[in-house]
């Protein structure tokens, strides 16, 4: 007896005590679960917010890079244009008549571009629409006196007869004729309203600009000068496609009389052939060009004063500070006219951050931002889909583990209690056999739960192979396996219809087995099981004694009677049937009324 009590005492030390072991196991599982689910789950909003912040950061980098690249590109374009202007004027002057200074001035004004704009191909060119962007060219003698320049002025190109073409200039700063100064001031004001629109079709394109129309003028052929007599200044809307006639938006008229006509003669023009900015009929005299051309006077005077001929000796670039900002590119060359040296200078002032570059810059930045946001949205959606799938699997694993632990706890506790009672040695033979039978029943139940769990886990990894299956034969075979239990509970079974479907035979049998098993186990005694088979669906209906909540029955270890402590079933049958249905492309619907439970498998 002493020896036995020692053995018993050694066996019941805390570590090997069954109750302590269960406590240790439960605590371990709780700690394990708490560690697993400490990880914060990411939401779609969180993923999108993070991605949008990244897209904003990338857009900021892109914006800074684009600003610097755009600035350097415009400046390099200006430098190239300045050199191109110089080369062009060198070639042109060498071909001009040096005895006609008016023609040279007119040529400088009309053939030199003046401001930077963006053309249709995305290349920066020079035109007359951009603020703080100006171009000029000047010709000066060895003493620094300007002989000719592109400084803005009013000019005409007139055919007096078929062979007599002459360039005429007008001194609009002549204080004896304030009307000329008013004409120029009004032209400058209308120029601020210049605009252009390029639509989808050529017919939609138009330009708005001021247009000078001279009906008559005083002309001094010898000096190459003129003074407009009857003049109209119109702000017109012009359609290059000629789809619509010119539309006059504003109009002002001027009538200038000169008291002394010595050296001047009055020339009248037939305006019936006026087309755009020239007279195209065959009458004489007629002008082919009339208007204000050249570099803005204020800009020219400022740049000329800051860059006198003595200062410009080669080519280069400098930063223009103050209220004007931007850069000035300049190039200079010495040319000879009548064997006399002259200095030809070309300068371009550019302000890269102007009304032309700003819209393009912001358009590109916004397009980049929208593109990155679209990518961010797609990336967030993709990661969210993957995360949600992972989270669902984690939840599934957690629920499966919790449910399995819950369902195994009861039989294990029972087994532990029976074994402890047997180990006391105080039981009779009948009591020992009774406890051993209970132990074996609980072991069998535990084994069935584990087997069903393994079956559930293996369902999703099966490579299905669909073949034609006789549904009636499978259903009747499953019913046959439960014939003894059906007789014992006095359950009647009715099978109507036949059908052949394409499915994986193994998983289809598993579906039918679990649905039939569920119907047999939960049908009341003296009840009925009705089975209907068609090519579209399989319906199994069995009688029950009360309405069952079916909302969670397809989840693992959920039983219709909510009694997890009994050994009537594992609670996995409908879960296995539902998973097997999904991998075959079927759908399992379940419902319950006060008297009938219905499982409907839809193919």
């Amino acid at each position: 007896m002493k020896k036995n009590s020692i053995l018993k005492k050694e066996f019941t030390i805390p570590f090997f005590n069954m109750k302590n072991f269960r406590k240790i196991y439960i605590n371990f599982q709780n700690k394990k679960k708490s560690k697993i689910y400490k990880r914060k789950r990411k939401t779609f909003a969180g993923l999108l917010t993070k991605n949008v912040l990244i897209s904003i950061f990338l857009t900021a980098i892109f914006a800074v890079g684009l600003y610097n690249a755009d600035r350097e590109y415009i400046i390099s374009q200006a430098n190239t244009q300045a050199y191109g202007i110089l080369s062009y004027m060198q070639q042109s002057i060498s071909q001009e008549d040096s005895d006609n200074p008016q023609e040279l001035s007119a040529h400088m004004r009309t053939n030199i571009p003046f401001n930077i704009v963006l053309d249709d191909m995305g290349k920066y060119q020079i035109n007359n629409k951009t603020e703080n962007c100006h171009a000029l060219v000047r010709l000066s003698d060895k003493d620094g006196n300007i002989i000719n320049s592109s400084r803005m002025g009013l000019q005409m190109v007139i055919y007096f007869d078929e062979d007599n073409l002459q360039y005429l200039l007008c001194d609009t700063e002549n204080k004896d004729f304030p009307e000329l100064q008013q004409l120029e001031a009004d032209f400058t004001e209308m120029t601020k309203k210049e605009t252009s629109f390029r639509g989808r079709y050529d017919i939609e394109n138009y330009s708005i600009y001021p247009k000078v129309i001279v009906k008559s003028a005083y002309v001094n052929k010898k000096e190459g000068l003129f003074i407009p007599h009857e003049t109209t200044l119109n702000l017109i809307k012009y359609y290059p496609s000629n789809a619509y006639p010119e539309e006059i938006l504003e109009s002002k008229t001027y009538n200038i009389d000169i008291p002394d006509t010595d050296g001047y003669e009055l020339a009248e023009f037939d305006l019936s052939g006026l087309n755009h900015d020239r007279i195209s009929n065959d009458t004489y005299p007629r002008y082919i060009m009339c208007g204000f051309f050249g570099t803005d006077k204020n800009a020219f005077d400022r740049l000329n004063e800051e860059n006198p001929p003595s200062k410009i000796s080669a080519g280069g670039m400098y930063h223009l500070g103050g209220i004007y900002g931007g850069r000035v590119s300049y190039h200079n060359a010495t040319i000879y006219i009548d064997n006399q040296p002259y200095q030809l200078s070309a300068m371009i002032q550019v302000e890269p951050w102007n009304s032309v570059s700003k819209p393009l810059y912001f358009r590109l930045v916004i397009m980049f931002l929208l593109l990155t946001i679209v990518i961010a949205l797609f990336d967030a959606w993709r990661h969210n889909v993957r995360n949600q799938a992972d989270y669902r699997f984690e939840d599934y694993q957690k629920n499966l583990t919790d449910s399995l632990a819950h369902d195994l706890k009861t039989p294990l506790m029972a087994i532990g209690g029976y074994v402890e009672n047997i180990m006391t040695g105080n039981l009779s033979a009948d009591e020992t056999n009774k406890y051993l039978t209970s132990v074996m029943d609980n072991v069998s139940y535990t084994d069935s739960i584990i087997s069903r769990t393994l079956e559930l886990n293996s369902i999703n990894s099966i490579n299905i192979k669909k073949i034609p299956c006789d549904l009636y034969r499978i259903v009747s075979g499953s019913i046959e396996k439960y014939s003894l239990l059906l007789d014992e509970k006095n359950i009647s079974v009715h099978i109507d219809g036949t059908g052949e479907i394409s499915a994986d035979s193994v998983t289809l049998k598993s579906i039918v087995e679990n649905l039939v098993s569920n119907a047999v186990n939960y049908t009341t005694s003296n009840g009925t099981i009705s089975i209907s088979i068609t090519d579209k669906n399989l319906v199994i209906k069995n009688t029950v004694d009360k309405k069952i909540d079916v909302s969670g029955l397809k989840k693992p270890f959920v039983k219709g009677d909510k009694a997890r402590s009994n050994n009537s079933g594992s609670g996995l049958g409908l879960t296995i049937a539902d998973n097997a249905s999904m991998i075959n492309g079927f759908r399992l619907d379940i419902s319950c009324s006060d008297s009938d439970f219905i499982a409907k498998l839809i193919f």
Side-chain angles (χ1 to χ4, degrees):
M1 290 296 295
K2 185 176 183 180
K3 184 176 180 180
N4 290 338
S5 71
I6 293 175
L7 288 175
K8 182 178 179 181
K9 186 176 182 180
E10 288 177 352
F11 182 80
T12 59
I13 61 175
F15 181 79
F16 288 102
N17 185 279
M18 183 62 69
K19 293 181 179 179
N20 289 340
F21 178 79
R22 286 197 299 272
K23 291 179 181 179
I24 292 172
Y25 174 78
I26 292 171
N27 290 335
F28 172 77
Q29 290 295 326
N30 290 336
K31 289 180 180 179
K32 184 178 179 182
K33 285 188 290 183
S34 65
K35 289 181 179 179
I36 291 175
Y37 290 94
K38 278 183 180 179
R39 181 166 66 95
K40 186 177 179 180
R41 294 190 172 185
K42 298 177 181 178
T43 63
F44 176 74
L47 291 170
L48 183 59
T49 301
K50 177 182 176 182
N51 286 358
V52 168
L53 291 176
I54 293 174
S55 71
I56 292 174
F57 175 73
L58 293 176
T59 302
I61 295 176
F62 173 78
V64 172
L66 179 64
Y67 176 81
N68 292 327
D70 192 45
R71 188 178 185 85
E72 293 305 316
Y73 174 68
I74 294 176
I75 292 172
S76 67
Q77 284 280 308
N79 192 48
T80 302
Q81 288 281 353
Y83 182 75
I85 290 172
L86 181 71
S87 300
Y88 175 76
M89 288 308 303
Q90 277 184 288
Q91 182 179 4
S92 298
I93 290 174
S94 66
Q95 299 173 357
E96 295 292 343
D97 183 359
S98 60
D99 294 331
N100 191 344
Q102 290 83 359
E103 184 174 348
L104 181 57
S105 294
H107 188 70
M108 285 185 173
R109 290 173 178 173
T110 56
N111 290 281
I112 298 303
F114 303 104
N115 297 72
I116 287 188
V117 296
L118 191 67
D119 65 11
D120 295 338
M121 301 302 293
K123 180 180 179 182
Y124 282 95
Q125 296 291 342
I126 306 294
N127 207 317
N128 59 348
K129 299 183 186 300
T130 311
E131 72 282 359
N132 294 332
C133 296
H134 306 282
L136 67 85
V137 62
R138 70 189 176 199
L139 183 67
S140 56
D141 60 19
K142 61 182 179 180
D143 297 323
N145 301 314
I146 296 178
I147 307 303
N148 275 298
S149 72
S150 62
R151 190 171 184 267
M152 190 176 74
L154 179 60
Q155 64 186 48
M156 294 181 73
V157 181
I158 299 178
Y159 272 107
F160 288 98
D161 54 50
E162 185 177 357
D163 299 320
N164 187 1
L165 175 68
Q166 193 165 356
Y167 290 82
L168 304 176
L169 306 180
C170 177
D171 182 12
T172 56
E173 297 178 349
N174 190 332
K175 295 185 180 180
D176 294 334
F177 302 101
E179 295 91 343
L180 290 176
Q181 298 174 30
Q182 186 62 46
L183 172 62
E184 184 171 14
D186 292 340
F187 177 85
T188 302
E189 189 64 27
M190 283 189 181
T191 302
K192 297 177 181 178
K193 302 176 183 180
E194 283 188 358
T195 186
S196 62
F197 174 78
R198 181 171 294 276
R200 183 175 180 183
Y201 305 103
D202 290 341
I203 194 172
E204 299 175 343
N205 302 339
Y206 66 81
S207 297
I208 295 176
Y209 68 95
K211 177 180 178 180
V212 178
I213 301 173
V214 178
K215 185 176 181 180
S216 58
Y218 297 100
V219 177
N220 187 329
K221 297 181 181 179
K222 183 178 180 180
E223 299 293 333
L225 302 174
F226 82 99
I227 297 174
H229 173 43
E230 295 179 279
T231 306
T232 302
L233 176 62
N234 292 332
L235 182 65
I236 68 167
K237 188 174 185 180
Y238 170 71
Y239 293 87
S241 63
N242 294 321
Y244 306 101
E246 291 182 352
E247 179 182 349
I248 299 176
L249 305 178
E250 292 183 29
S251 182
K252 294 185 178 183
T253 58
Y254 310 85
N255 197 325
I256 303 171
D257 293 313
I258 60 175
D260 184 7
T261 59
D262 185 27
Y264 286 87
E265 61 181 77
L266 185 64
E268 295 185 354
F269 305 101
D270 179 6
L271 300 181
S272 62
L274 186 65
N275 181 18
H276 192 28
D277 59 355
R278 62 188 293 165
I279 297 175
S280 59
N281 56 30
D282 294 333
T283 61
Y284 297 99
R286 60 185 173 90
Y287 61 81
I288 61 173
M289 182 181 294
C290 180
F292 287 90
F293 301 93
T295 307
D296 176 79
K297 288 184 176 181
N298 292 330
F300 183 95
D301 294 342
R302 173 173 50 81
L303 289 171
N304 183 64
E305 182 180 352
E306 294 174 352
N307 302 274
S310 59
K311 179 181 177 181
I312 306 299
S313 57
M317 181 183 298
Y318 69 90
H319 177 71
L320 183 65
I323 62 174
Y324 301 104
R327 302 287 184 92
V328 174
S329 299
Y330 57 86
H331 286 275
N332 181 66
T334 300
I335 64 173
Y336 290 86
I337 301 176
D338 296 335
N339 297 320
Q340 295 297 319
Y342 291 86
Q343 187 184 66
L344 182 65
S345 302
M347 283 181 287
I348 291 183
Q349 173 197 339
V350 290
E351 171 50 68
W353 193 244
N354 56 60
S355 60
V356 175
S357 61
K358 286 178 185 177
L360 176 66
Y361 172 81
F362 285 116
R363 189 159 58 245
L364 291 175
V365 170
I366 291 173
M367 288 174 61
F368 183 87
L369 176 62
L370 292 177
L371 177 63
T372 55
I373 287 179
V374 170
I375 295 174
L377 180 64
F378 175 76
D379 183 73
W381 171 81
R382 183 174 62 87
H383 278 85
N384 184 65
V385 170
R386 186 173 62 184
N387 288 345
Q388 292 304 316
D390 291 341
Y391 299 154
R392 283 194 296 271
F393 184 69
E394 287 179 3
D395 291 339
Y396 173 79
Q397 285 186 316
K398 177 181 180 298
N399 293 333
L400 185 64
T401 303
D402 291 347
S403 300
L404 180 62
H406 189 280
D407 274 30
L408 289 177
K409 180 173 66 175
T410 299
L412 288 177
M413 290 180 63
I415 291 173
Y418 293 148
V419 170
E420 285 185 354
N421 289 332
I422 293 172
M423 292 180 65
T424 59
N426 298 325
L427 301 176
S428 64
D430 291 339
E431 290 176 329
T432 301
N433 288 333
K434 180 180 178 182
Y435 285 145
L436 287 175
T437 300
S438 298
V439 167
M440 292 304 298
D441 289 341
N442 280 280
V443 168
S444 178
Y445 174 66
T446 303
D447 181 65
S448 69
I449 292 179
I450 294 174
S451 298
R452 301 281 276 175
T453 304
L454 293 175
E455 181 184 357
L456 176 62
N457 286 335
S458 66
I459 284 290
N460 294 322
S461 60
I462 292 177
N463 293 321
I464 65 170
K465 182 179 180 181
K466 290 189 175 183
I467 60 173
C469 299
D470 186 344
L471 198 55
Y472 179 84
R473 185 176 60 83
I474 296 174
V475 171
S476 58
S478 297
I479 291 293
E480 183 65 28
K481 295 178 181 179
Y482 294 94
S483 58
L484 293 179
L485 183 57
L486 292 171
D487 292 340
E488 181 181 333
K489 298 177 68 175
N490 194 27
I491 297 173
S492 60
V493 179
H494 303 284
I495 303 177
D496 295 326
T498 59
E500 185 176 270
I501 62 171
S502 177
D504 178 74
S505 60
V506 175
T507 54
L508 180 60
K509 289 179 181 178
S510 177
I511 297 171
V512 174
E513 288 277 355
N514 282 285
L515 293 180
V516 169
S517 173
N518 184 77
V520 171
N521 288 330
Y522 289 96
T523 300
T524 57
S525 298
N526 303 314
T528 302
I529 298 176
S530 300
I531 302 175
S532 173
I533 303 172
T534 68
D535 293 335
K536 301 296 183 181
N537 54 59
L538 167 67
V539 181
I540 300 178
K541 181 169 67 173
N542 61 280
T543 54
V544 291
D545 56 0
K546 64 180 179 179
K547 186 176 182 179
I548 299 172
D549 181 11
V550 299
S551 58
L553 282 186
K554 291 192 284 187
K555 295 180 180 179
F557 298 102
V558 176
K559 301 178 183 179
D561 58 5
K562 306 296 182 183
R564 289 186 179 273
S565 59
N566 63 28
N567 294 354
S568 61
S570 64
L572 291 172
L574 291 177
T575 306
I576 294 172
D578 185 53
N579 285 15
S581 299
M582 287 189 290
I583 66 172
N584 276 280
F586 305 154
R587 187 175 85 245
L588 177 62
D589 291 339
I590 56 175
S591 61
C592 187
S593 63
D594 292 335
S595 58
D596 295 310
F597 182 91
I598 302 172
K600 186 175 183 179
L601 183 64
I602 303 171
F603 309 131

